[in-house]
Amino acid sequence: ELLGHSIAGMLAKGDLRLENDEFNRRWFVDADDEDFAALLLSPEMQTWLVGVPKWVTFHIGRGQIVCAAKKALKPDALADLVALCEEFAGLIVPELQAWIPRA
């Protein structure tokens, strides 16, 4: 991801930078609504995401949370992926339940 960050920076592709440097090195955040992303990616969420296995990725948009594996999963690893998705959802701040996107 570091190479991806460098290329994105040169091309002025948006990568939302947050207060946790380790999070910023690990995750690329592309957001249509940076206010939403900043609220979703609370300091607690950033800390948790730093510890997530590198084979996991998350995509949020259009009312969906997608927790996916970046590799083929063995059947016994599916429970781990589901648990990570549940943990992620549990860390979302309640304020986002009432979020109204800007038109």
Side-chain angles (χ1 to χ4, degrees):
E1 286 229 298
L2 292 178
L3 176 61
H5 282 159
S6 298
I7 293 170
M10 289 186 298
L11 299 174
K13 173 75 174 140
D15 180 15
L16 183 63
R17 309 306 283 176
L18 299 165
E19 54 273 325
N20 184 322
D21 289 334
E22 196 173 0
F23 172 86
N24 290 331
R25 284 189 297 277
R26 166 87 190 273
W27 293 95
F28 181 85
V29 179
D30 183 15
D32 292 333
D33 188 333
E34 290 187 0
D35 293 332
F36 177 89
L39 187 57
L40 173 71
L41 296 169
S42 65
E44 294 80 16
M45 179 71 85
Q46 291 174 54
T47 299
W48 182 81
L49 284 166
V50 166
V52 167
K54 294 191 186 245
W55 56 266
V56 178
T57 189
F58 297 92
H59 301 274
I60 298 96
R62 299 187 176 147
Q64 300 176 345
I65 298 173
V66 177
C67 177
K70 296 190 235 178
K71 65 177 188 173
L73 280 184
K74 295 182 179 177
D76 57 332
L78 184 57
D80 293 337
L81 184 62
V82 170
L84 287 166
C85 194
E86 289 173 343
E87 286 180 49
F88 180 89
L91 288 168
I92 296 173
V93 296
E95 294 84 356
L96 285 179
Q97 294 298 324
W99 186 264
I100 299 173
R102 289 184 252 157

